[in-house]
Amino acid sequence: MAIETPVRLTVEEYLAWEETNFEKHEYIDGEVRCMAGAKAPHNRIMSNTNTAIGRQLDDSDCFLLSSEMRVQAA
């Protein structure tokens, strides 16, 4: 189900709902909005960037996460 206009949910409602969706959404201050899909050039740039950064992190405790990972920014 695609959301074309903002929908207000609690964090808990959003996380439960988002697990059932194929489309990506963002959650900001209670509003849920659809995210646009990336095109091939963007994905290629991201893949190359992640590879280059990942090589620099080989000997550290740091790591990269994919864009599929849900994170909370305060």
Side-chain angles (χ1 to χ4, degrees):
M1 168 179 103
I3 295 179
E4 296 179 11
T5 57
V7 171
R8 296 195 63 80
L9 299 173
T10 66
V11 172
E12 294 78 15
E13 291 170 332
Y14 163 71
L15 291 173
W17 176 80
E18 185 71 2
E19 286 185 15
T20 67
N21 283 282
F22 292 105
E23 297 90 6
K24 286 183 168 184
H25 302 87
E26 62 182 354
Y27 179 88
I28 301 175
D29 295 327
E31 286 189 359
V32 178
R33 296 179 181 262
C34 288
M35 294 179 65
K39 298 199 181 318
H42 170 80
N43 284 322
R44 186 171 180 193
I45 290 168
M46 290 303 299
S47 179
N48 290 340
T49 302
N50 287 342
T51 298
I53 293 171
R55 288 183 187 140
Q56 299 298 314
L57 299 176
D58 282 344
D59 296 325
S60 78
D61 293 334
C62 298
F63 56 91
L64 295 173
L65 299 174
S66 77
S67 63
E68 303 305 314
M69 185 69 161
R70 289 184 185 94
V71 296
Q72 180 177 349

